Amino acid sequence: MISSENLSWTYDELVCLNLVRGKTPGGVLRHYAAAPSQAWIMTRQQADREFGHHPDSGTVLRAGLAGSWSFCLENWEPVGFGPGILERLSSGTDAIHYLRNPQGGDLVEHLRDGDIVQSFELGVPGPLPRQAAPLGLAEAFRRGVSTRPYGDDGYDEIWAVLSDLTGVPLDDGLVNGPLPTVLRRNPHV
């Protein structure tokens, strides 16, 4: 299991991440309507300096590859759950969406070929699906973080479980290191 001491990024106020099996980071950026040709290789610190924090201008997308999964982290104004994006990301494959809202709530969704296989909010009790989903996200999360009450700050444990399920070590080194980075402008700007 990934060490929780290497997951400090998971405590950020807002975390929006999509994992996609078998697609390239450039392909993932195109599904966001962002041009991979405009991406610069930047560390997270460089991206923060370059783009600042101007939520009205858009969101910073940082994409990468870990094993057979590509991922896209969004800073400031998440769009990865917007109309059609998750469906496009999961077309012909699996996609996992995670959103932690600063006002509360941790949503996890598993999509396959445009359809939702599982969708649940962490810490909210509810019945498990009658048939276990192939990745078994809800079951693994409930086992791995079942001791945490709703609203507890066990984000490092959440990501340790997700890393084990997918084999994607989304630790501080990967997330904060050099990745293709692009500003996806808001359509109304």
Side-chain angles (χ1 to χ4, degrees), residues 2 19 27 38 44 47 57 62-63 73 98 106 110 117 163 172-173 177-178:
I2 193 169
L19 287 161
Q38 294 181 1
R44 186 172 174 190
S57 61
R62 303 190 70 241
L73 285 154
Y98 173 83
D106 295 275
H110 170 205
V117 176
S163 291
D172 290 337

Side-chain angles (χ1 to χ4, degrees), residues 94-135:
D94 289 293
I96 299 169
H97 171 71
Y98 173 83
L99 173 67
R100 183 175 67 247
N101 185 325
Q103 285 77 38
D106 295 275
L107 176 68
V108 179
E109 293 183 311
H110 170 205
L111 291 88
R112 174 170 288 142
D113 204 16
D115 295 321
I116 295 176
V117 176
Q118 283 188 310
S119 179
F120 57 96
E121 191 170 347
L122 294 173
V124 176
L128 291 174
R130 292 180 198 266
Q131 293 181 327
L135 292 177

